[in-house]
Amino acid sequence: MSRQRMSFAERRHQRFVLRALRKANGSRCHWCSKPVRKARANLPSPMPHDIATLDHLEPRSRGGLTDGSNCVVACYACNTERGSMPVEQWQAKLAARSSAEARAA
Ligand SMILES: [Zn+2]
């Protein structure tokens, strides 16, 4: 994941939006629907895959805003894998994967 350096205010704002989203949408990943865990101040490294992260629908690198209309709760695994992939492309990838999983089961 390519990440620009974030200011303190920006990180604090992200936490604020993340908390609001988790309250509104429950603690599940928007993409894979798996339960996510609340991120703590001191995150272990490597990050557990089920930590709740803030994912931007329109990536920040493409001008997406950090607010409730452009952000969803995503598990760390989905967020990292998606990177700055456009939503349509990412959803197509998820759909392809879930049908592959259904075939395998
Ligand atoms: Zn996920």
Side-chain angles (χ1 to χ4, degrees):
M1 181 167 38
S2 69
R3 220 189 233 296
Q4 292 128 296
R5 253 183 101 81
M6 279 191 290
S7 69
F8 175 74
E10 208 172 350
R11 277 201 309 267
R12 194 172 54 182
H13 180 60
Q14 281 218 354
R15 272 205 302 278
F16 172 78
V17 175
L18 181 59
R19 203 175 307 146
L21 285 171
R22 285 179 68 249
K23 224 172 204 169
N25 305 334
S27 298
R28 282 186 180 271
C29 173
H30 180 77
W31 307 118
C32 68
S33 308
K34 286 180 189 150
V36 289
R37 285 190 290 154
K38 187 180 169 194
R40 284 201 302 253
N42 293 315
L43 287 169
S45 179
M47 284 265 278
H49 281 184
D50 59 348
I51 288 288
T53 62
L54 190 66
D55 196 16
H56 292 74
L57 296 173
E58 179 74 5
R60 285 174 71 236
S61 57
R62 302 200 307 171
L65 296 174
T66 302
D67 66 15
S69 66
N70 188 48
C71 291
V72 294
V73 177
C75 67
Y76 184 70
C78 286
N79 195 336
T80 323
E81 198 186 336
R82 181 184 164 217
S84 55
M85 200 183 282
V87 172
E88 305 75 40
Q89 198 183 333
W90 171 237
Q91 281 177 325
K93 189 174 176 178
L94 284 175
R97 184 200 292 160
S98 66
S99 67
E101 275 169 13
R103 274 198 301 276

